Amino acid sequence: MRVFVFICAVILNLGLASCSESPKSHPSTSVADHQLEFISSSKKMMKIDSGSYRAFIGKDSNNIIKVKSFYIDDSPVTNAEYLTFLKANPQWTRSKVLRLYADSTYLKHWKGDYQLPEKINPDAPVTNVSWFSAEAYAKSVGKRLPTIEEWEYVGLADRSSKNASDKPHFTDFILREYQQRKSNMNKVVRQGEPNFYGVYDMYGMVWEWTYDFNSVMMSGESRKDNTTNESLFCAGGAITASDLRNYAAFVRYALRGSIKANNCLNNLGFRCARDFKN
Amino acid sequence: MKKTFIIATVLSAFISLNSCKQNNSTSSENNSDTEKIKTDGSVEQQKSVAPPNVPAPVGDRAAKKVIVRLETIEKTGELADGTQYNFWTFNGTVPGSFIRARVGDEIELHLKNNENNTFPHNIDLHAVNGPGGGAEATFVAPGTEKVFNFKALNPGLYVYHCATAPVGMHIANGMYGLILIEPEGGLPKVDKEYYIMQGDFYTKGKFGDKGLQEFDMDKAISEHPEYVVFNGKTGALLGDGELQAKVGETVRFFVGNGGPNLTSSFHVIGEIFDRVYMEGGSKINENVQTTVIPPGGASIVEFKATVPGEYVIVDHAIFRAFNKGALGKIKVTGPDNPAVYKKNP
């Protein structure tokens, strides 16, 4: 009994913690938005037609995710693009950013507020950015971050098809791309092969923030995630995977579960999305 | 007659109940006893020692606070001569650094995920009483660090490993090690101590194929490894890595099995284990030829080096030893001992 109470408390605690960290409910986001200076971006976006796919997670493995048509950046936001944003929005520079929005590793590979060291490629994906800063960037160019569902939908495509998830070597391909990131993350974007939609670098360069990255709970105790009563989590996100062989997806969801909105990682960047309106 | 029988039955039932009760109370007492052990206020920063070596024994020191720092490091290393693999490690070695403490110690474990890593990690220590063995408390993204504390309640030799999804892949890439919790007063003194951990590896290429080998998920799921090795490499305990002892010395191996899949039939050719702490626990078996070590399990084996020579360490599921790499050696040097072993001309 005591054990049960304890487990409940832990779960409740986790749930609360994730709620309070949820970007959606963060009260301060709007404060940052007030000061945003809009900039123009010539980043190419690709139209992604509406469709559906079988969810990787969800108690019911036949859970079908429907995605509306939207646009997504054809490649991750680069250092140079991010620099333009910083020049218009100095409150997001390294020296001025609020700790609440970005931890101490924010843009730590940069030389100063507006300077890239020589070894960093301006056209490589920007990294060491927090969720808040990525969100602010997206707003400044009139876009938003893609949702997990949108990102995963685009990520299902290989070079020749919209949904390659049933192809036996697709997971291998992604895992190989992940392993090669260390040598790729400082390279120019859009150098590899685009996928079916004409979108580049979904796997081989950096992890990417998504709007609702922490709506899926991965507690770190990955074995338990399979059995915990998912309704106990505020986002109903205890992991029950539909495809136990999809190791690449497990890794992605684990990464999302391990980060907080103000974290900045060496290999975590982002790309933007926008609604499609007829 | 009938009455006597009933009395006897009741009596024997009572006795057996009572003995059960006693057993229960002793075992629970053991646990609560160690829970009550006070630390002496001192703090030790545990130095990391690379396998096959281990930190110094605890001896008869009092319980204290021990700070252990582990860093997850993803790096390319040699799985066999000319064959590389992208290992995921604790502190850069397979197995990870050996952690050594005593019962009653308060252990503060720092888990840092190297900033240049690609993947999230965590740690589950089988020596922990608590949710996930610390896995939830240590879930770290690249470039971040987390800390959790636990009190060592149960003496024994325990496996630790990464438990981040997909768990099998993290373990298959080398994320495991051993933590020893010594009993009060420490384990009996021996002359040599070594740290050996078996693991199975799943590569796209066949055993012996050169170059960087990728992890093969299908082989891992079907439990068909290309490599079964001690300490992360086919030759880790051969050549320069060969273990050493002198005639007359007592030798203790801390042996673990990271798996992820295969159970080890641990054996030293030409030696008999004088003592085996079965499954790494408190029960000691004597005069053992081969001891079974499951994935996620460990064993302490001890023997006395009596006759000089090279002794081959194997998983006695013998094709693994000769065709997949589960082979090491310990070299015993010193004077011949013809009374025990003599080769006739």
Side-chain angles (χ1 to χ4, degrees):
Chain A
M1 179 61 198
R2 248 174 75 190
V3 177
F4 176 71
V5 171
F6 179 70
I7 291 172
C8 283
V10 168
I11 288 166
L12 197 66
N13 215 16
L14 281 173
L16 283 173
S18 83
C19 277
S20 64
E21 278 156 24
S22 164
K24 282 180 201 169
S25 65
H26 207 291
S28 313
T29 314
S30 54
V31 180
D33 294 345
H34 285 316
Q35 305 154 349
L36 266 188
E37 202 60 47
F38 288 88
I39 57 171
S40 68
S41 159
S42 55
K43 188 93 167 172
K44 194 173 178 191
M45 297 191 90
M46 305 310 294
K47 190 190 168 205
I48 310 297
D49 286 326
S50 64
S52 61
Y53 66 99
R54 198 176 73 154
F56 173 63
I57 51 142
K59 205 172 182 182
D60 179 4
S61 59
N62 292 318
N63 194 11
I64 299 297
I65 303 285
K66 284 185 182 144
V67 178
K68 288 182 190 162
S69 296
F70 65 105
Y71 290 101
I72 193 160
D73 284 352
D74 74 344
S75 55
V77 172
T78 65
N79 286 304
E81 287 162 342
Y82 199 76
L83 181 60
T84 314
F85 160 74
L86 291 179
K87 283 178 176 162
N89 293 282
Q91 73 274 25
W92 283 102
T93 56
R94 212 170 62 171
S95 65
K96 296 207 181 67
V97 73
L98 295 177
R99 271 296 156 267
L100 192 62
Y101 298 142
D103 66 23
S104 61
T105 57
Y106 179 63
L107 295 177
K108 71 168 172 154
H109 61 305
W110 287 39
K111 232 177 183 170
D113 279 351
Y114 303 106
Q115 283 152 334
L116 282 168
E118 272 170 32
K119 58 175 181 149
I120 301 292
N121 196 320
D123 297 318
V126 65
T127 59
N128 287 314
V129 288
S130 68
W131 179 91
F132 292 106
S133 64
E135 172 74 355
Y137 175 95
K139 281 188 174 143
S140 78
V141 292
K143 303 178 188 175
R144 58 174 173 80
L145 292 177
T147 63
I148 293 177
E149 291 179 353
E150 287 169 341
W151 197 101
E152 291 288 327
Y153 180 63
V154 178
L156 288 172
D158 64 2
R159 284 171 202 179
S160 57
S161 63
K162 279 185 179 183
N163 189 341
S165 59
D166 288 335
K167 295 188 185 174
H169 296 300
F170 191 52
T171 293
D172 279 352
F173 162 76
I174 298 170
L175 289 176
R176 200 177 312 128
E177 293 272 294
Y178 286 166
Q179 293 279 12
Q180 284 163 4
R181 276 184 179 171
K182 266 182 218 176
S183 49
N184 283 348
M185 56 183 281
N186 194 30
K187 289 185 180 159
V188 178
V189 298
R190 303 177 86 249
Q191 298 303 299
E193 294 271 341
N195 73 7
F196 176 84
Y197 298 106
V199 173
Y200 293 81
D201 307 320
M202 289 295 282
Y203 295 115
M205 299 194 95
V206 291
W207 299 115
E208 294 179 20
W209 284 108
T210 45
Y211 181 73
D212 51 349
F213 73 97
N214 61 0
S215 66
V216 177
M217 279 297 298
M218 199 90 168
S219 66
E221 176 43 298
S222 332
R223 301 149 296 182
K224 201 174 73 183
D225 286 327
N226 291 313
T227 52
T228 314
N229 182 352
E230 60 174 88
S231 64
L232 288 170
F233 291 96
C234 42
I239 289 286
T240 46
S242 61
D243 179 4
L244 292 173
R245 296 176 71 96
N246 195 342
Y247 277 24
F250 273 120
V251 170
R252 265 191 321 277
Y253 281 89
L255 191 278
R256 288 177 190 134
S258 74
I259 48 181
K260 292 178 184 157
N262 68 342
N263 283 163
C264 306
L265 312 186
N266 270 344
N267 56 9
L268 175 60
F270 66 101
R271 76 179 73 213
C272 304
R274 195 166 62 205
D275 293 347
F276 171 79
K277 286 168 190 134
N278 287 321
Chain B
M1 176 60 205
K2 205 174 166 190
K3 216 170 150 188
T4 325
F5 177 72
I6 290 172
I7 289 172
T9 316
V10 169
L11 202 67
S12 69
F14 184 74
I15 289 167
S16 63
L17 274 175
N18 213 27
S19 72
C20 277
K21 209 172 162 189
Q22 265 179 356
N23 274 342
N24 282 341
S25 68
T26 20
S27 67
S28 67
E29 252 170 37
N30 269 343
N31 223 327
S32 61
D33 268 348
T34 57
E35 212 176 319
K36 282 179 200 142
I37 296 174
K38 292 267 187 296
T39 55
D40 67 359
S42 64
V43 180
E44 174 198 325
Q45 302 268 354
Q46 184 143 103
K47 286 203 186 86
S48 141
V49 182
N53 297 311
V54 294
V58 301
D60 57 1
R61 72 163 171 82
K64 60 180 171 183
K65 182 169 179 175
V66 179
I67 298 176
V68 176
R69 289 172 198 279
L70 291 178
E71 183 173 8
T72 58
I73 299 172
E74 297 157 10
K75 64 179 215 183
T76 306
E78 295 267 308
L79 177 57
D81 284 337
T83 305
Q84 291 83 36
Y85 189 77
N86 287 319
F87 290 98
W88 298 357
T89 72
F90 289 101
N91 282 359
T93 55
V94 178
S97 306
F98 193 91
I99 303 170
R100 191 163 197 165
R102 58 152 282 178
V103 78
D105 277 352
E106 287 169 15
I107 298 169
E108 179 175 300
L109 193 133
H110 295 242
L111 186 69
K112 185 181 177 190
N113 190 343
N114 185 281
E115 60 178 14
N116 295 319
N117 283 354
T118 304
F119 303 93
H121 300 292
N122 63 5
I123 190 168
D124 167 357
L125 300 114
H126 291 179
V128 171
N129 289 277
E136 291 184 37
T138 57
F139 193 26
V140 278
T144 64
E145 177 174 334
K146 282 192 178 159
V147 182
F148 89 107
N149 296 70
F150 69 97
K151 192 171 180 73
L153 301 182
N154 306 70
L157 182 62
Y158 300 93
V159 167
Y160 66 78
H161 62 90
C162 184
T164 301
V167 183
M169 187 176 171
H170 285 255
I171 294 176
N173 286 343
M175 296 199 82
Y176 43 77
L178 291 180
I179 172 170
L180 173 69
I181 305 300
E182 296 199 51
E184 177 122 36
L187 290 172
K189 206 175 169 315
V190 292
D191 297 309
K192 290 275 159 64
E193 290 183 326
Y194 291 113
Y195 171 24
I196 303 171
M197 218 163 164
Q198 183 171 322
D200 23 308
F201 285 86
Y202 302 83
T203 54
K204 281 267 186 279
K206 285 199 170 4
F207 178 86
D209 282 4
K210 304 294 179 199
L212 181 63
Q213 292 295 320
E214 284 171 37
F215 168 69
D216 188 309
M217 197 178 64
D218 289 324
K219 287 179 185 171
I221 291 170
S222 59
E223 307 188 11
H224 289 138
E226 291 295 333
Y227 292 86
V228 182
V229 298
F230 296 127
N231 291 5
K233 193 192 169 199
T234 53
L237 303 179
L238 296 173
D240 291 344
E242 207 171 301
L243 306 179
Q244 305 284 339
K246 294 195 178 72
V247 169
E249 283 185 327
T250 46
V251 179
R252 174 181 290 145
F253 287 168
F254 297 105
V255 193
N257 187 358
N261 290 320
L262 301 190
T263 295
S264 175
S265 306
F266 190 76
H267 177 79
V268 177
I269 299 173
E271 272 298 347
I272 295 149
F273 302 137
D274 299 321
R275 275 173 303 282
V276 172
Y277 292 70
M278 292 186 286
E279 298 170 342
S282 305
K283 284 261 187 309
I284 295 176
N285 196 0
E286 294 175 328
N287 307 319
V288 176
Q289 55 188 316
T290 301
T291 192
V292 170
I293 309 175
S299 183
I300 305 173
V301 303
E302 297 172 357
F303 57 92
K304 189 173 176 185
T306 39
V307 177
E310 283 191 319
Y311 295 83
V312 178
I313 304 161
V314 295
D315 177 341
H316 213 293
I318 212 71
F319 278 100
R320 298 176 190 167
F322 298 112
N323 298 75
K324 295 186 173 182
L327 199 106
K329 275 184 185 173
I330 178 164
K331 188 175 188 176
V332 177
T333 51
D336 284 339
N337 190 351
V340 176
Y341 177 85
K342 193 173 88 178
K343 195 167 114 184
N344 294 307

